[in-house]
Amino acid sequence: MIRGRLLDIKNQLNLDARIQLLSGQLNRLTGYERIENLKAVVIKAEQSIKQSRTMLIDSKREYTKYTELRRQSQKQVNDLLSNKSSWGDTELNKFTQLVKSDHSIEKLEKEFMQKVEEYEKLVDRGFEKLLKSILERYHEEQIWSDKIRSMSSNYTLIALSVNVLVFLMAIVFIEPYKRNRMLRELEINLDKDQVKILSQIDSIREEISTLKTPATVVDQPDMPAPLGPEPPSTSTQFEKIYNNPFTTLSIGILIALGLYLFSNVLHKYKNIFSINFKPVWLIIISYTLVVLSSLVLYTSTANDLDSKAFIPTLTYIALLLTLCYPFNALFRHQRFQFIGTLGEIVYSPFQVTFNQVLLADILTSYAKVFGDFYTSLVQCLDPESNFAITPPSANYMAPVFTAIPYILRFKQCIVEYVASNFTQKKSLLNALKYASSFPVIAFSALHRYNNTAYNWWLISVIVNSLFSFWWDVRNDWGLNFLDSDVWLRNGSTQKTSLRDVQLYKESYKYYVAIFIDFILRFTWSLKLSSHLHTYVELESGVFALEILEIFRRYLWCFFRLEWQVIKSNPHEYTSIPIHQYNN
């Protein structure tokens, strides 16, 4: 009974026609209507082939039948002809009939043979048409499938973006509103309680004043000043929280600008690696927009540091998601090249290329950024932490994170030394140079607990700075400025203080670069020391040191790439001694 009523309702509403109409509109919207038309063409071609094959089989059957009849007729004729001398009237009439019958059978046989040939051609043409229709339908289905997959990916991305936007709006607008409402209710309740307490205090004070005389009243001592240092100001904490994004932004802009200027001055470096500058600049612009949006969001929210602790963390997460975005957008090739190079830096057990060395050297300028990232992350994620106090775990984990770039570069030097069958002593010395930064970081961390570590820290700073400065000038830039033969001249030596081949025409640029590298090498070693910037008032100075290190690093890249160009083209620059190519 219920089924019957449902069928009646279905017939009244004409659901079948409406569903079919909706299906047709959906097919037209998605482009599947063409595939349906091709499907109908395939079905029609199959039916046509089936009909042609049926007619072909019938024609072959008739052709076979008349072929057999003609064979029998010819056999009878041959039998009569063999007894031609004994023919009578009966045999003559029979021969005449057989000849007539054979002529008509031959005519029918030829007719059906033509039909067989015609139907065979028709079947072949139908099969070719069917195959072509099937291939066309398959091709259209593949195009439609790719289109639907692309639309699905875009809609998924849009849905994900909407979810992230809703999440951010909830955090930025709804959560502060709920927090402020809760605070207002709490303040109202506290005010009511305070009024009650003050009224009770006033009544008690009046009772006491009636019992006391004026002579017995004594002055109340002043309240002691609050102990402990005042919490750091918002602007100082702003510098601390946004130290990392602005540092990484600056180094990206300056390195890209440096490579751009270097390519204009020294176009031959493109034999080392090729760079398309348009994606680089667009990536930097996108990165700048993310950081500036985070900055605007940070400055526009409440002044309470703990209430906006999520903003730096969301900045890091947004940059990481953008870098690892898997779809073919946002310069996927360049992003995955960068990620692949980072992976090769972390894991390259057999071979180290120049681009890996260059990027790993640039990462050493991020050493302090690694430590600050850990500190900021803990301050953002730890519910018991606040921005006025450095997390206790940062005292020993931040130095470990600071040492990560030097550990990676140290590992590269060891890999180069092992790959040379333990013959390339230069790689071993280079590893020693990066290992000299470990005592600077370690003694700086120990200085928090033991003041006697200061002397060892000072010695390690001097050793690391001088060693790194000598290596920059002598090996990374290929200059003779620090060679003893240059300063202790004798009659046999003809060495210049720089080098025989200089792709930059003005020699003073090399001397200025040497002087700047010497000064900033010492300041960067000081910056690796975590105990120097635990005080809030030094945070701005530490940020300035990071900017100076960025400047030193891209200046270093200029002359490092220049020396690599000269070494990679020995036939062009024949005046360079051969031992310098091997270095």
Side-chain angles (χ1 to χ4, degrees):
M1 180 177 179
I2 296 176
R3 183 178 179 182
R5 293 187 61 184
L6 291 176
L7 290 175
D8 293 339
I9 294 173
K10 178 181 178 182
N11 294 329
Q12 291 177 2
L13 296 176
N14 199 10
L15 290 180
D16 292 337
R18 293 186 178 184
I19 292 174
Q20 187 175 4
L21 178 61
L22 181 62
S23 176
Q25 292 177 352
L26 182 62
N27 289 338
R28 282 192 295 273
L29 180 64
T30 59
Y32 198 77
E33 184 179 14
R34 177 173 172 78
I35 298 176
E36 291 289 344
N37 295 335
L38 290 175
K39 183 179 179 181
V41 171
V42 171
I43 294 174
K44 184 177 179 181
E46 289 178 346
Q47 293 175 353
S48 176
I49 288 179
K50 185 176 180 181
Q51 184 179 2
S52 298
R53 283 182 175 175
T54 302
M55 297 173 65
L56 176 63
I57 292 172
D58 294 340
S59 298
K60 283 185 175 181
R61 187 182 300 114
E62 293 295 326
Y63 174 73
T64 305
K65 172 184 173 183
Y66 286 110
T67 302
E68 180 65 22
L69 289 176
R70 187 182 179 196
R71 186 184 64 81
Q72 293 177 0
S73 174
Q74 287 179 352
K75 182 180 179 183
Q76 293 177 3
V77 169
N78 292 332
D79 291 341
L80 288 174
L81 288 175
S82 61
N83 299 320
K84 183 178 180 181
S85 58
S86 59
W87 275 7
D89 294 336
T90 304
E91 284 78 5
L92 183 61
N93 292 331
K94 184 177 180 180
F95 176 78
T96 304
Q97 292 176 358
L98 286 175
V99 170
K100 292 180 180 180
S101 175
D102 182 70
H103 180 69
S104 60
I105 291 173
E106 182 182 4
K107 184 177 179 181
L108 292 173
E109 182 185 11
K110 289 181 179 180
E111 180 181 349
F112 281 103
M113 183 178 67
Q114 291 177 355
K115 288 184 178 182
V116 168
E117 292 176 353
E118 181 181 351
Y119 289 138
E120 282 180 347
K121 292 179 180 178
L122 187 62
V123 169
D124 292 338
R125 286 196 298 268
F127 183 76
E128 291 177 359
K129 183 179 179 181
L130 175 63
L131 183 61
K132 183 179 179 180
S133 302
I134 291 174
L135 291 176
E136 189 175 358
R137 176 188 173 188
Y138 175 77
H139 179 67
E140 291 295 331
E141 286 180 344
Q142 288 296 320
I143 294 176
W144 181 83
S145 177
D146 293 340
K147 178 181 176 182
I148 294 299
R149 191 181 299 111
S150 177
M151 292 175 59
S152 176
S153 301
N154 293 333
Y155 290 148
T156 303
L157 180 60
I158 292 173
L160 179 62
S161 303
V162 171
N163 289 334
V164 172
L165 181 61
V166 171
F167 172 72
L168 292 177
M169 292 180 63
I171 291 178
V172 175
F173 298 105
I174 298 177
E175 290 298 328
Y177 171 76
K178 291 170 60 179
R179 188 184 300 108
N180 293 332
R181 182 178 177 183
M182 186 183 301
L183 288 175
R184 284 197 299 269
E185 293 178 355
L186 182 61
E187 288 175 357
I188 292 172
N189 294 331
L190 288 176
D191 289 340
K192 292 180 180 178
D193 294 339
Q194 187 177 8
V195 170
K196 293 180 181 178
I197 294 173
L198 289 176
S199 62
Q200 293 177 1
I201 292 175
D202 290 338
S203 62
I204 294 173
R205 185 176 295 170
E206 291 176 358
E207 293 177 0
I208 293 175
S209 62
T210 57
L211 297 176
K212 287 186 176 182
T213 60
T216 59
V217 178
V218 295
D219 294 335
Q220 295 293 330
D222 295 335
M223 294 298 293
L227 298 177
E230 295 182 357
S233 64
T234 304
S235 60
T236 305
Q237 289 299 333
F238 165 77
E239 290 178 357
K240 186 172 184 179
I241 297 171
Y242 275 91
N243 196 348
N244 301 330
F246 275 122
T247 301
T248 52
L249 173 64
S250 303
I251 197 168
I253 293 176
L254 290 177
I255 291 298
L257 177 62
L259 289 177
Y260 179 73
L261 297 175
F262 188 81
S263 66
N264 290 338
V265 176
L266 190 62
H267 63 89
K268 295 180 182 179
Y269 90 102
K270 292 184 178 179
N271 349 4
I272 304 174
F273 48 76
S274 58
I275 293 180
N276 186 5
F277 291 103
K278 182 179 178 180
V280 173
W281 285 113
L282 291 177
I283 289 172
I284 290 174
I285 292 172
S286 304
Y287 183 79
T288 307
L289 292 177
V290 172
V291 175
L292 291 181
S293 301
S294 179
L295 171 61
V296 172
L297 181 62
Y298 185 89
T299 55
S300 61
T301 52
N303 291 327
D304 184 14
L305 290 173
D306 293 328
S307 65
K308 50 186 177 182
F310 64 91
I311 298 178
T313 306
L314 287 180
T315 304
Y316 293 125
I317 293 175
L319 295 176
L320 183 61
L321 291 178
T322 304
L323 181 64
C324 301
Y325 183 68
F327 299 105
N328 190 17
L330 302 174
F331 304 103
R332 181 178 184 272
H333 177 69
Q334 284 77 14
R335 290 186 290 105
F336 277 56
Q337 259 191 335
F338 178 73
I339 295 174
T341 306
L342 287 179
E344 292 170 354
I345 291 174
V346 176
Y347 181 76
S348 54
F350 303 112
Q351 186 180 7
V352 179
T353 59
F354 177 71
N355 61 332
Q356 297 173 15
V357 171
L358 187 65
L359 182 57
D361 272 323
I362 292 175
L363 285 180
T364 58
S365 295
Y366 284 81
K368 175 61 170 53
V369 175
F370 277 77
D372 286 344
F373 172 76
Y374 174 81
T375 303
S376 298
L377 191 63
V378 172
Q379 288 174 330
C380 292
L381 299 181
D382 189 359
E384 299 180 358
S385 175
N386 61 74
F387 287 94
I389 302 174
T390 302
S393 61
N395 293 332
Y396 56 88
M397 286 303 299
V400 173
F401 274 71
T402 303
I404 287 177
Y406 294 96
I407 293 173
L408 295 176
R409 192 67 186 93
F410 176 82
K411 191 262 299 182
Q412 282 185 337
C413 297
I414 297 301
V415 169
E416 289 178 340
Y417 179 64
V418 174
S420 66
N421 293 326
F422 307 97
T423 58
Q424 194 172 353
K425 303 299 182 184
K426 178 185 172 182
S427 298
L428 201 58
L429 290 175
N430 201 10
L432 184 61
K433 180 193 76 171
Y434 291 103
S436 66
S437 63
F438 300 148
V440 179
I441 301 171
F443 287 126
S444 175
L446 291 175
H447 185 67
R448 299 173 182 269
Y449 311 102
N450 187 1
N451 292 332
T452 59
Y454 173 78
N455 295 331
W456 292 105
W457 167 80
L458 186 60
I459 293 173
S460 60
V461 166
I462 295 173
V463 171
N464 174 258
S465 300
L466 291 177
F467 195 1
S468 301
F469 169 69
W470 175 82
W471 194 273
D472 288 345
V473 176
R474 182 62 185 86
N475 294 288
D476 289 342
W477 296 351
L479 302 177
N480 303 323
F481 184 78
L482 298 179
D483 288 2
S484 58
D485 297 342
V486 174
W487 299 101
L488 302 176
R489 293 183 177 274
N490 52 50
S492 60
T493 183
Q494 295 181 356
K495 267 190 179 182
T496 63
S497 58
L498 298 177
R499 66 170 102 89
D500 295 333
V501 177
Q502 299 175 18
L503 300 187
Y504 296 107
K505 296 180 181 180
E506 296 84 358
S507 298
Y508 73 89
K509 293 182 179 179
Y510 296 88
Y511 294 110
V512 172
I514 291 172
F515 176 76
I516 293 175
D517 188 74
F518 176 75
I519 299 299
L520 297 185
R521 268 298 182 183
F522 276 90
T523 58
W524 183 240
S525 295
L526 294 177
K527 185 182 169 301
L528 290 179
S529 307
S530 56
H531 74 279
L532 292 182
H533 40 80
T534 54
Y535 309 104
V536 173
E537 59 270 14
L538 289 181
E539 196 63 44
S540 299
V542 172
F543 180 75
L545 290 180
E546 290 184 352
I547 298 300
L548 290 175
E549 169 59 18
I550 294 165
F551 174 74
R552 188 201 68 81
R553 175 57 63 184
Y554 96 86
L555 185 67
W556 175 90
C557 286
F558 273 2
F559 297 95
R560 179 68 182 90
L561 286 170
E562 180 209 19
W563 181 233
Q564 187 66 24
V565 168
I566 296 174
K567 290 197 299 181
S568 61
N569 295 274
H571 301 292
E572 256 184 83
Y573 310 107
T574 55
S575 59
I576 303 178
I578 192 64
H579 73 277
Q580 294 191 13
Y581 290 115
N582 298 328
N583 290 337

